[in-house]
Amino acid sequence: MNTEDREEITRLINRHGYLIDTGRLDSLHEIFTAGVVYDVSDFGGGEVNGLAAMREWVLALDDRNPVAHHVTNIVLDEITDDVARCLSKGIGIGVDGTARSVTYEDRVERSDAGWRITRRTVKARRTPLRP
């Protein structure tokens, strides 16, 4: 994986919040593969399979969907030239102004359309570090 690949993957992960926050759900294919597995088991949602199901799930959240998604601390680990494992932190701002933190664990693969997320696991951060 070269510098251009790393920049493209970073842009890809950063774009997620913009698409979701602006309601551009018909553009999810710009970030995810058609057969994406979006694992929100940590939130009681199980695994959401495919773009159509992901769109429906996001819409069903209604007011529980954050009004803003912020992605930070992106770490990329190469598995092969065409597959990367990515970790990032997410901060979601709720309708009532509360903030929540998650960790995104992504599998990203190179395709004819460019880099796309094939699997995302969203893990909630509910308790502080306790040494």
PDB file of all heavy atoms in Angstrom, residues 32-66:
ATOM      1  N   PHE A  32     -19.031   2.118   0.697  1.00  0.00           N
ATOM      2  CA  PHE A  32     -19.200   0.700   1.022  1.00  0.00           C
ATOM      3  C   PHE A  32     -19.440  -0.124  -0.230  1.00  0.00           C
ATOM      4  O   PHE A  32     -19.990   0.366  -1.219  1.00  0.00           O
ATOM      5  CB  PHE A  32     -20.402   0.517   1.963  1.00  0.00           C
ATOM      6  CG  PHE A  32     -20.291   1.278   3.251  1.00  0.00           C
ATOM      7  CD1 PHE A  32     -20.946   2.490   3.421  1.00  0.00           C
ATOM      8  CD2 PHE A  32     -19.535   0.782   4.304  1.00  0.00           C
ATOM      9  CE1 PHE A  32     -20.852   3.202   4.613  1.00  0.00           C
ATOM     10  CE2 PHE A  32     -19.433   1.485   5.498  1.00  0.00           C
ATOM     11  CZ  PHE A  32     -20.094   2.693   5.645  1.00  0.00           C
ATOM     12  N   THR A  33     -19.080  -1.410  -0.168  1.00  0.00           N
ATOM     13  CA  THR A  33     -19.412  -2.327  -1.248  1.00  0.00           C
ATOM     14  C   THR A  33     -20.896  -2.678  -1.172  1.00  0.00           C
ATOM     15  O   THR A  33     -21.537  -2.501  -0.122  1.00  0.00           O
ATOM     16  CB  THR A  33     -18.595  -3.632  -1.153  1.00  0.00           C
ATOM     17  OG1 THR A  33     -18.875  -4.264   0.107  1.00  0.00           O
ATOM     18  CG2 THR A  33     -17.108  -3.370  -1.306  1.00  0.00           C
ATOM     19  N   ALA A  34     -21.445  -3.181  -2.256  1.00  0.00           N
ATOM     20  CA  ALA A  34     -22.865  -3.549  -2.292  1.00  0.00           C
ATOM     21  C   ALA A  34     -23.194  -4.593  -1.237  1.00  0.00           C
ATOM     22  O   ALA A  34     -24.276  -4.587  -0.652  1.00  0.00           O
ATOM     23  CB  ALA A  34     -23.238  -4.061  -3.680  1.00  0.00           C
ATOM     24  N   GLY A  35     -22.254  -5.481  -0.955  1.00  0.00           N
ATOM     25  CA  GLY A  35     -22.489  -6.551   0.015  1.00  0.00           C
ATOM     26  C   GLY A  35     -21.904  -6.271   1.383  1.00  0.00           C
ATOM     27  O   GLY A  35     -21.636  -7.195   2.148  1.00  0.00           O
ATOM     28  N   VAL A  36     -21.739  -5.008   1.737  1.00  0.00           N
ATOM     29  CA  VAL A  36     -21.130  -4.642   3.014  1.00  0.00           C
ATOM     30  C   VAL A  36     -21.835  -5.322   4.187  1.00  0.00           C
ATOM     31  O   VAL A  36     -23.049  -5.513   4.181  1.00  0.00           O
ATOM     32  CB  VAL A  36     -21.138  -3.108   3.216  1.00  0.00           C
ATOM     33  CG1 VAL A  36     -22.549  -2.558   3.298  1.00  0.00           C
ATOM     34  CG2 VAL A  36     -20.310  -2.709   4.433  1.00  0.00           C
ATOM     35  N   VAL A  37     -21.045  -5.703   5.173  1.00  0.00           N
ATOM     36  CA  VAL A  37     -21.582  -6.179   6.450  1.00  0.00           C
ATOM     37  C   VAL A  37     -21.317  -5.065   7.449  1.00  0.00           C
ATOM     38  O   VAL A  37     -20.165  -4.693   7.689  1.00  0.00           O
ATOM     39  CB  VAL A  37     -20.909  -7.494   6.906  1.00  0.00           C
ATOM     40  CG1 VAL A  37     -21.411  -7.898   8.280  1.00  0.00           C
ATOM     41  CG2 VAL A  37     -21.141  -8.588   5.879  1.00  0.00           C
ATOM     42  N   TYR A  38     -22.385  -4.503   8.007  1.00  0.00           N
ATOM     43  CA  TYR A  38     -22.303  -3.396   8.960  1.00  0.00           C
ATOM     44  C   TYR A  38     -22.755  -3.945  10.299  1.00  0.00           C
ATOM     45  O   TYR A  38     -23.945  -4.155  10.534  1.00  0.00           O
ATOM     46  CB  TYR A  38     -23.210  -2.254   8.492  1.00  0.00           C
ATOM     47  CG  TYR A  38     -22.838  -0.901   9.035  1.00  0.00           C
ATOM     48  CD1 TYR A  38     -21.885  -0.116   8.402  1.00  0.00           C
ATOM     49  CD2 TYR A  38     -23.457  -0.395  10.169  1.00  0.00           C
ATOM     50  CE1 TYR A  38     -21.548   1.144   8.898  1.00  0.00           C
ATOM     51  CE2 TYR A  38     -23.125   0.861  10.666  1.00  0.00           C
ATOM     52  CZ  TYR A  38     -22.182   1.620  10.026  1.00  0.00           C
ATOM     53  OH  TYR A  38     -21.849   2.857  10.516  1.00  0.00           O
ATOM     54  N   ASP A  39     -21.805  -4.226  11.161  1.00  0.00           N
ATOM     55  CA  ASP A  39     -22.083  -4.913  12.423  1.00  0.00           C
ATOM     56  C   ASP A  39     -22.311  -3.900  13.546  1.00  0.00           C
ATOM     57  O   ASP A  39     -21.394  -3.243  14.010  1.00  0.00           O
ATOM     58  CB  ASP A  39     -20.915  -5.833  12.767  1.00  0.00           C
ATOM     59  CG  ASP A  39     -21.156  -6.692  13.992  1.00  0.00           C
ATOM     60  OD1 ASP A  39     -22.141  -6.455  14.728  1.00  0.00           O
ATOM     61  OD2 ASP A  39     -20.352  -7.602  14.223  1.00  0.00           O
ATOM     62  N   VAL A  40     -23.564  -3.800  13.945  1.00  0.00           N
ATOM     63  CA  VAL A  40     -23.935  -2.913  15.050  1.00  0.00           C
ATOM     64  C   VAL A  40     -24.503  -3.741  16.206  1.00  0.00           C
ATOM     65  O   VAL A  40     -25.392  -3.306  16.935  1.00  0.00           O
ATOM     66  CB  VAL A  40     -24.921  -1.810  14.587  1.00  0.00           C
ATOM     67  CG1 VAL A  40     -24.192  -0.746  13.786  1.00  0.00           C
ATOM     68  CG2 VAL A  40     -26.067  -2.401  13.786  1.00  0.00           C
ATOM     69  N   SER A  41     -23.950  -4.936  16.373  1.00  0.00           N
ATOM     70  CA  SER A  41     -24.383  -5.838  17.444  1.00  0.00           C
ATOM     71  C   SER A  41     -24.239  -5.188  18.810  1.00  0.00           C
ATOM     72  O   SER A  41     -25.057  -5.420  19.704  1.00  0.00           O
ATOM     73  CB  SER A  41     -23.574  -7.137  17.409  1.00  0.00           C
ATOM     74  OG  SER A  41     -23.769  -7.806  16.191  1.00  0.00           O
ATOM     75  N   ASP A  42     -23.211  -4.368  18.973  1.00  0.00           N
ATOM     76  CA  ASP A  42     -22.962  -3.722  20.254  1.00  0.00           C
ATOM     77  C   ASP A  42     -24.086  -2.752  20.638  1.00  0.00           C
ATOM     78  O   ASP A  42     -24.198  -2.345  21.777  1.00  0.00           O
ATOM     79  CB  ASP A  42     -21.619  -2.991  20.211  1.00  0.00           C
ATOM     80  CG  ASP A  42     -20.939  -2.901  21.563  1.00  0.00           C
ATOM     81  OD1 ASP A  42     -21.271  -3.694  22.466  1.00  0.00           O
ATOM     82  OD2 ASP A  42     -20.064  -2.035  21.710  1.00  0.00           O
ATOM     83  N   PHE A  43     -24.923  -2.413  19.663  1.00  0.00           N
ATOM     84  CA  PHE A  43     -26.059  -1.524  19.894  1.00  0.00           C
ATOM     85  C   PHE A  43     -27.381  -2.271  19.804  1.00  0.00           C
ATOM     86  O   PHE A  43     -28.440  -1.664  19.740  1.00  0.00           O
ATOM     87  CB  PHE A  43     -26.041  -0.374  18.880  1.00  0.00           C
ATOM     88  CG  PHE A  43     -24.855   0.527  19.039  1.00  0.00           C
ATOM     89  CD1 PHE A  43     -23.681   0.263  18.358  1.00  0.00           C
ATOM     90  CD2 PHE A  43     -24.906   1.623  19.878  1.00  0.00           C
ATOM     91  CE1 PHE A  43     -22.579   1.081  18.506  1.00  0.00           C
ATOM     92  CE2 PHE A  43     -23.808   2.447  20.034  1.00  0.00           C
ATOM     93  CZ  PHE A  43     -22.641   2.180  19.352  1.00  0.00           C
ATOM     94  N   GLY A  44     -27.298  -3.604  19.729  1.00  0.00           N
ATOM     95  CA  GLY A  44     -28.505  -4.415  19.650  1.00  0.00           C
ATOM     96  C   GLY A  44     -29.076  -4.552  18.255  1.00  0.00           C
ATOM     97  O   GLY A  44     -30.168  -5.076  18.075  1.00  0.00           O
ATOM     98  N   GLY A  45     -28.323  -4.105  17.239  1.00  0.00           N
ATOM     99  CA  GLY A  45     -28.828  -4.132  15.873  1.00  0.00           C
ATOM    100  C   GLY A  45     -28.357  -5.312  15.044  1.00  0.00           C
ATOM    101  O   GLY A  45     -28.760  -5.456  13.902  1.00  0.00           O
ATOM    102  N   GLY A  46     -27.497  -6.155  15.592  1.00  0.00           N
ATOM    103  CA  GLY A  46     -26.993  -7.302  14.840  1.00  0.00           C
ATOM    104  C   GLY A  46     -26.130  -6.874  13.669  1.00  0.00           C
ATOM    105  O   GLY A  46     -25.518  -5.813  13.687  1.00  0.00           O
ATOM    106  N   GLU A  47     -26.107  -7.711  12.650  1.00  0.00           N
ATOM    107  CA  GLU A  47     -25.375  -7.396  11.422  1.00  0.00           C
ATOM    108  C   GLU A  47     -26.364  -6.956  10.356  1.00  0.00           C
ATOM    109  O   GLU A  47     -27.351  -7.640  10.096  1.00  0.00           O
ATOM    110  CB  GLU A  47     -24.588  -8.614  10.928  1.00  0.00           C
ATOM    111  CG  GLU A  47     -23.388  -8.929  11.778  1.00  0.00           C
ATOM    112  CD  GLU A  47     -22.519 -10.037  11.197  1.00  0.00           C
ATOM    113  OE1 GLU A  47     -22.916 -10.668  10.193  1.00  0.00           O
ATOM    114  OE2 GLU A  47     -21.441 -10.273  11.765  1.00  0.00           O
ATOM    115  N   VAL A  48     -26.085  -5.826   9.757  1.00  0.00           N
ATOM    116  CA  VAL A  48     -26.889  -5.300   8.666  1.00  0.00           C
ATOM    117  C   VAL A  48     -26.139  -5.652   7.391  1.00  0.00           C
ATOM    118  O   VAL A  48     -24.968  -5.308   7.247  1.00  0.00           O
ATOM    119  CB  VAL A  48     -27.075  -3.769   8.808  1.00  0.00           C
ATOM    120  CG1 VAL A  48     -27.886  -3.219   7.660  1.00  0.00           C
ATOM    121  CG2 VAL A  48     -27.713  -3.435  10.154  1.00  0.00           C
ATOM    122  N   ASN A  49     -26.796  -6.366   6.469  1.00  0.00           N
ATOM    123  CA  ASN A  49     -26.118  -6.879   5.282  1.00  0.00           C
ATOM    124  C   ASN A  49     -26.590  -6.187   4.012  1.00  0.00           C
ATOM    125  O   ASN A  49     -27.766  -6.255   3.667  1.00  0.00           O
ATOM    126  CB  ASN A  49     -26.354  -8.387   5.156  1.00  0.00           C
ATOM    127  CG  ASN A  49     -25.711  -9.141   6.296  1.00  0.00           C
ATOM    128  OD1 ASN A  49     -24.496  -9.235   6.365  1.00  0.00           O
ATOM    129  ND2 ASN A  49     -26.522  -9.655   7.199  1.00  0.00           N
ATOM    130  N   GLY A  50     -25.666  -5.524   3.346  1.00  0.00           N
ATOM    131  CA  GLY A  50     -25.948  -4.887   2.065  1.00  0.00           C
ATOM    132  C   GLY A  50     -26.364  -3.431   2.201  1.00  0.00           C
ATOM    133  O   GLY A  50     -26.813  -2.979   3.257  1.00  0.00           O
ATOM    134  N   LEU A  51     -26.195  -2.692   1.099  1.00  0.00           N
ATOM    135  CA  LEU A  51     -26.469  -1.254   1.106  1.00  0.00           C
ATOM    136  C   LEU A  51     -27.942  -0.928   1.331  1.00  0.00           C
ATOM    137  O   LEU A  51     -28.269   0.019   2.050  1.00  0.00           O
ATOM    138  CB  LEU A  51     -26.001  -0.620  -0.210  1.00  0.00           C
ATOM    139  CG  LEU A  51     -24.497  -0.529  -0.409  1.00  0.00           C
ATOM    140  CD1 LEU A  51     -24.181   0.061  -1.781  1.00  0.00           C
ATOM    141  CD2 LEU A  51     -23.853   0.300   0.687  1.00  0.00           C
ATOM    142  N   ALA A  52     -28.846  -1.702   0.725  1.00  0.00           N
ATOM    143  CA  ALA A  52     -30.277  -1.421   0.897  1.00  0.00           C
ATOM    144  C   ALA A  52     -30.686  -1.587   2.355  1.00  0.00           C
ATOM    145  O   ALA A  52     -31.386  -0.736   2.916  1.00  0.00           O
ATOM    146  CB  ALA A  52     -31.108  -2.322  -0.007  1.00  0.00           C
ATOM    147  N   ALA A  53     -30.219  -2.649   2.986  1.00  0.00           N
ATOM    148  CA  ALA A  53     -30.550  -2.882   4.397  1.00  0.00           C
ATOM    149  C   ALA A  53     -29.905  -1.818   5.279  1.00  0.00           C
ATOM    150  O   ALA A  53     -30.509  -1.362   6.262  1.00  0.00           O
ATOM    151  CB  ALA A  53     -30.102  -4.272   4.824  1.00  0.00           C
ATOM    152  N   MET A  54     -28.707  -1.391   4.916  1.00  0.00           N
ATOM    153  CA  MET A  54     -28.027  -0.357   5.691  1.00  0.00           C
ATOM    154  C   MET A  54     -28.807   0.952   5.612  1.00  0.00           C
ATOM    155  O   MET A  54     -29.005   1.631   6.628  1.00  0.00           O
ATOM    156  CB  MET A  54     -26.604  -0.165   5.163  1.00  0.00           C
ATOM    157  CG  MET A  54     -25.769   0.750   5.990  1.00  0.00           C
ATOM    158  SD  MET A  54     -24.098   0.745   5.316  1.00  0.00           S
ATOM    159  CE  MET A  54     -23.469   2.174   6.123  1.00  0.00           C
ATOM    160  N   ARG A  55     -29.261   1.299   4.427  1.00  0.00           N
ATOM    161  CA  ARG A  55     -30.063   2.517   4.241  1.00  0.00           C
ATOM    162  C   ARG A  55     -31.327   2.450   5.095  1.00  0.00           C
ATOM    163  O   ARG A  55     -31.678   3.407   5.784  1.00  0.00           O
ATOM    164  CB  ARG A  55     -30.406   2.679   2.767  1.00  0.00           C
ATOM    165  CG  ARG A  55     -31.140   3.941   2.438  1.00  0.00           C
ATOM    166  CD  ARG A  55     -31.434   4.005   0.924  1.00  0.00           C
ATOM    167  NE  ARG A  55     -31.861   5.315   0.528  1.00  0.00           N
ATOM    168  CZ  ARG A  55     -33.066   5.811   0.755  1.00  0.00           C
ATOM    169  NH1 ARG A  55     -33.964   5.105   1.403  1.00  0.00           N
ATOM    170  NH2 ARG A  55     -33.385   7.033   0.350  1.00  0.00           N
ATOM    171  N   GLU A  56     -32.023   1.330   5.046  1.00  0.00           N
ATOM    172  CA  GLU A  56     -33.244   1.154   5.843  1.00  0.00           C
ATOM    173  C   GLU A  56     -32.945   1.271   7.332  1.00  0.00           C
ATOM    174  O   GLU A  56     -33.718   1.888   8.076  1.00  0.00           O
ATOM    175  CB  GLU A  56     -33.877  -0.205   5.546  1.00  0.00           C
ATOM    176  CG  GLU A  56     -34.501  -0.311   4.180  1.00  0.00           C
ATOM    177  CD  GLU A  56     -34.988  -1.714   3.871  1.00  0.00           C
ATOM    178  OE1 GLU A  56     -35.259  -2.485   4.819  1.00  0.00           O
ATOM    179  OE2 GLU A  56     -35.099  -2.041   2.675  1.00  0.00           O
ATOM    180  N   TRP A  57     -31.850   0.676   7.778  1.00  0.00           N
ATOM    181  CA  TRP A  57     -31.484   0.720   9.187  1.00  0.00           C
ATOM    182  C   TRP A  57     -31.221   2.157   9.634  1.00  0.00           C
ATOM    183  O   TRP A  57     -31.685   2.583  10.688  1.00  0.00           O
ATOM    184  CB  TRP A  57     -30.261  -0.169   9.440  1.00  0.00           C
ATOM    185  CG  TRP A  57     -29.798  -0.150  10.850  1.00  0.00           C
ATOM    186  CD1 TRP A  57     -30.365  -0.792  11.910  1.00  0.00           C
ATOM    187  CD2 TRP A  57     -28.690   0.582  11.380  1.00  0.00           C
ATOM    188  NE1 TRP A  57     -29.662  -0.515  13.073  1.00  0.00           N
ATOM    189  CE2 TRP A  57     -28.638   0.323  12.764  1.00  0.00           C
ATOM    190  CE3 TRP A  57     -27.734   1.412  10.810  1.00  0.00           C
ATOM    191  CZ2 TRP A  57     -27.669   0.885  13.585  1.00  0.00           C
ATOM    192  CZ3 TRP A  57     -26.768   1.967  11.631  1.00  0.00           C
ATOM    193  CH2 TRP A  57     -26.741   1.688  12.998  1.00  0.00           C
ATOM    194  N   VAL A  58     -30.469   2.915   8.830  1.00  0.00           N
ATOM    195  CA  VAL A  58     -30.167   4.308   9.174  1.00  0.00           C
ATOM    196  C   VAL A  58     -31.461   5.112   9.268  1.00  0.00           C
ATOM    197  O   VAL A  58     -31.667   5.885  10.210  1.00  0.00           O
ATOM    198  CB  VAL A  58     -29.187   4.933   8.155  1.00  0.00           C
ATOM    199  CG1 VAL A  58     -29.088   6.440   8.337  1.00  0.00           C
ATOM    200  CG2 VAL A  58     -27.818   4.298   8.263  1.00  0.00           C
ATOM    201  N   LEU A  59     -32.366   4.934   8.297  1.00  0.00           N
ATOM    202  CA  LEU A  59     -33.626   5.674   8.317  1.00  0.00           C
ATOM    203  C   LEU A  59     -34.495   5.280   9.511  1.00  0.00           C
ATOM    204  O   LEU A  59     -35.177   6.124  10.100  1.00  0.00           O
ATOM    205  CB  LEU A  59     -34.388   5.457   7.003  1.00  0.00           C
ATOM    206  CG  LEU A  59     -33.750   6.103   5.772  1.00  0.00           C
ATOM    207  CD1 LEU A  59     -34.493   5.683   4.514  1.00  0.00           C
ATOM    208  CD2 LEU A  59     -33.714   7.624   5.905  1.00  0.00           C
ATOM    209  N   ALA A  60     -34.459   4.007   9.879  1.00  0.00           N
ATOM    210  CA  ALA A  60     -35.269   3.528  11.004  1.00  0.00           C
ATOM    211  C   ALA A  60     -34.794   4.111  12.335  1.00  0.00           C
ATOM    212  O   ALA A  60     -35.581   4.206  13.286  1.00  0.00           O
ATOM    213  CB  ALA A  60     -35.255   2.006  11.056  1.00  0.00           C
ATOM    214  N   LEU A  61     -33.536   4.524  12.414  1.00  0.00           N
ATOM    215  CA  LEU A  61     -33.036   5.124  13.648  1.00  0.00           C
ATOM    216  C   LEU A  61     -33.748   6.424  13.972  1.00  0.00           C
ATOM    217  O   LEU A  61     -33.860   6.806  15.134  1.00  0.00           O
ATOM    218  CB  LEU A  61     -31.528   5.378  13.556  1.00  0.00           C
ATOM    219  CG  LEU A  61     -30.637   4.160  13.629  1.00  0.00           C
ATOM    220  CD1 LEU A  61     -29.185   4.567  13.367  1.00  0.00           C
ATOM    221  CD2 LEU A  61     -30.767   3.456  14.959  1.00  0.00           C
ATOM    222  N   ASP A  62     -34.197   7.126  12.948  1.00  0.00           N
ATOM    223  CA  ASP A  62     -34.936   8.377  13.102  1.00  0.00           C
ATOM    224  C   ASP A  62     -34.188   9.312  14.058  1.00  0.00           C
ATOM    225  O   ASP A  62     -33.020   9.599  13.841  1.00  0.00           O
ATOM    226  CB  ASP A  62     -36.357   8.077  13.566  1.00  0.00           C
ATOM    227  CG  ASP A  62     -37.302   9.243  13.331  1.00  0.00           C
ATOM    228  OD1 ASP A  62     -37.121   9.960  12.331  1.00  0.00           O
ATOM    229  OD2 ASP A  62     -38.217   9.440  14.157  1.00  0.00           O
ATOM    230  N   ASP A  63     -34.807   9.764  15.155  1.00  0.00           N
ATOM    231  CA  ASP A  63     -34.183  10.708  16.073  1.00  0.00           C
ATOM    232  C   ASP A  63     -33.048  10.121  16.899  1.00  0.00           C
ATOM    233  O   ASP A  63     -32.320  10.842  17.572  1.00  0.00           O
ATOM    234  CB  ASP A  63     -35.220  11.305  17.029  1.00  0.00           C
ATOM    235  CG  ASP A  63     -36.056  12.374  16.358  1.00  0.00           C
ATOM    236  OD1 ASP A  63     -35.693  12.802  15.249  1.00  0.00           O
ATOM    237  OD2 ASP A  63     -37.075  12.775  16.945  1.00  0.00           O
ATOM    238  N   ARG A  64     -32.887   8.791  16.870  1.00  0.00           N
ATOM    239  CA  ARG A  64     -31.766   8.175  17.586  1.00  0.00           C
ATOM    240  C   ARG A  64     -30.483   8.264  16.780  1.00  0.00           C
ATOM    241  O   ARG A  64     -29.402   8.012  17.282  1.00  0.00           O
ATOM    242  CB  ARG A  64     -32.089   6.719  17.919  1.00  0.00           C
ATOM    243  CG  ARG A  64     -33.220   6.592  18.938  1.00  0.00           C
ATOM    244  CD  ARG A  64     -33.614   5.153  19.156  1.00  0.00           C
ATOM    245  NE  ARG A  64     -34.236   4.658  17.927  1.00  0.00           N
ATOM    246  CZ  ARG A  64     -34.065   3.444  17.411  1.00  0.00           C
ATOM    247  NH1 ARG A  64     -33.313   2.565  18.019  1.00  0.00           N
ATOM    248  NH2 ARG A  64     -34.661   3.091  16.293  1.00  0.00           N
ATOM    249  N   ASN A  65     -30.591   8.625  15.514  1.00  0.00           N
ATOM    250  CA  ASN A  65     -29.422   8.798  14.660  1.00  0.00           C
ATOM    251  C   ASN A  65     -28.725  10.103  15.060  1.00  0.00           C
ATOM    252  O   ASN A  65     -29.381  11.125  15.204  1.00  0.00           O
ATOM    253  CB  ASN A  65     -29.853   8.862  13.197  1.00  0.00           C
ATOM    254  CG  ASN A  65     -28.768   8.473  12.246  1.00  0.00           C
ATOM    255  OD1 ASN A  65     -27.631   8.248  12.635  1.00  0.00           O
ATOM    256  ND2 ASN A  65     -29.118   8.390  10.989  1.00  0.00           N
ATOM    257  N   PRO A  66     -27.411  10.077  15.270  1.00  0.00           N
ATOM    258  CA  PRO A  66     -26.718  11.325  15.608  1.00  0.00           C
ATOM    259  C   PRO A  66     -26.932  12.393  14.537  1.00  0.00           C
ATOM    260  O   PRO A  66     -27.072  12.084  13.352  1.00  0.00           O
ATOM    261  CB  PRO A  66     -25.247  10.911  15.668  1.00  0.00           C
ATOM    262  CG  PRO A  66     -25.272   9.448  15.934  1.00  0.00           C
ATOM    263  CD  PRO A  66     -26.492   8.932  15.230  1.00  0.00           C
TER     264      PRO A  66
END
